[in-house]
Amino acid sequence: MLPGGLLTGYIGISVEKVLFVLLASGALGRREHVRSAAITSVTFVGWLSGVSLAVRASRAGTASPDARDYVGEVPWRLVATALPGVVLGTMLGPRVNRWVPLPA
């Protein structure tokens, strides 16, 4: 875990990029196709985010008493503000991608 944390802090890459490189290069024993490695690494980060959300939401009473709209350590107003953009981007992104021409 420590090398991953150091990489994230020093050169600005995170766990999904490290996992992608490990899967695509074959460093874990079997070389995966680039598309499979990308999907696996993004899915892995999604699951980790869900676990992190559950842990932080279960930590009742740790936020400041003036922190309204918090459940545990999760700022739900901020989550509700960002969620529509995430959902729309997820739905519209593939459609917009079809309109972008591939480089020659």
Side-chain angles (χ1 to χ4, degrees):
M1 288 302 231
L2 184 61
L6 291 173
L7 280 173
T8 299
Y10 286 125
I11 60 177
I13 63 170
S14 55
V15 67
E16 77 271 6
K17 290 166 187 68
V18 172
L19 182 59
F20 171 79
V21 169
L22 291 174
L23 289 171
S25 69
L28 298 177
R30 189 177 118 185
R31 187 172 187 184
E32 296 292 331
H33 187 272
V34 172
R35 184 174 291 165
S36 296
I39 291 170
T40 301
S41 62
V42 170
T43 302
F44 180 71
V45 170
W47 282 105
L48 286 180
S49 297
V51 170
S52 174
L53 175 69
V55 168
R56 292 188 67 123
S58 70
R59 295 180 51 154
T62 57
S64 164
D66 335 321
R68 295 179 304 164
D69 303 322
Y70 273 68
V71 174
E73 296 178 342
V74 179
W76 287 106
R77 183 173 287 186
L78 181 62
V79 171
T81 302
L83 200 55
V86 171
V87 171
L88 284 173
T90 302
M91 293 167 49
L92 296 176
R95 290 183 177 99
V96 171
N97 193 25
R98 285 188 216 128
W99 297 339
V100 176
L102 293 173

